[in-house]
Amino acid sequence: MKKLLPCALAIVLLLTGCLSDVDYSLPDNPIAFETYEFTNPDNQDDGYMAFEYNGRVYIPYGTLTGRIDGDDVAQCLGYKVQDGEADKNARIYTLSADSENNYLMDYYVNGIMEQPDFWRAIDTVGENISTPKFIESMEYEYWR
């Protein structure tokens, strides 16, 4: 058992290290991103959690593939509010490789083995935009 504990700890640190050099701190005046239900206009049964930033609506798009580090994350914008409950650990970030903010990263900072999720602005549907190499599409119906 004593040999397994260091190995387990090493694995946990390795898995959680994908965002180890990201600045997790909230800005001085963080945005409270109010979430709400967005319904796909082409399929009323296809709904997504959504939030707005700079006049654009964002819904889930994908997850992490490979590795992301501090150079890939530009800045923390704020945190999510769901059903009126603020969760200051569920933070929203911009990405360095996406100056147009077509994608935003959602990351829960107090998790042990959390992976980031990536949200995409709905006004980019059907457009050929540049997707950072570390984002893997989850093939949600809206984005097909």
Side-chain angles (χ1 to χ4, degrees):
M1 180 66 165
K2 288 183 179 181
K3 291 181 182 181
L4 290 177
L5 187 57
C7 291
L9 183 58
I11 290 171
V12 168
L13 291 174
L14 178 65
L15 291 174
T16 60
C18 67
L19 292 173
S20 61
D21 56 348
V22 172
D23 179 6
Y24 293 112
S25 58
L26 281 169
D28 290 337
N29 295 305
I31 299 168
F33 289 93
E34 295 278 345
T35 61
Y36 60 92
E37 178 81 14
F38 170 82
T39 302
N40 182 343
D42 296 330
N43 179 353
Q44 295 301 305
D45 294 327
D46 187 35
Y48 304 90
M49 182 184 292
F51 62 79
E52 293 182 22
Y53 174 62
N54 280 347
R56 299 171 85 185
V57 175
Y58 291 81
I59 64 171
Y61 176 80
T63 190
L64 180 67
T65 182
R67 182 175 171 82
I68 185 172
D69 60 36
D71 292 337
D72 296 317
V73 179
Q75 67 177 350
C76 179
L77 298 171
Y79 55 89
K80 289 194 312 191
V81 177
Q82 186 172 354
D83 298 326
E85 295 290 324
D87 186 348
K88 293 188 177 182
N89 293 313
R91 303 204 180 146
I92 305 298
Y93 298 84
T94 58
L95 302 172
S96 301
D98 182 24
S99 62
E100 295 177 0
N101 294 326
N102 292 318
Y103 295 95
L104 295 176
M105 182 179 82
D106 175 11
Y107 185 67
Y108 191 76
V109 298
N110 275 355
I112 294 174
M113 293 178 53
E114 298 293 324
Q115 292 289 326
D117 292 313
F118 299 95
W119 298 55
R120 182 171 166 176
I122 64 169
D123 60 1
T124 64
V125 70
E127 292 187 17
N128 185 17
I129 63 169
S130 176
T131 301
K133 65 181 182 286
F134 50 81
I135 298 177
E136 179 179 359
S137 172
M138 294 297 294
E139 299 296 327
Y140 294 112
E141 180 178 333
Y142 185 81
W143 299 114
R144 288 188 223 149

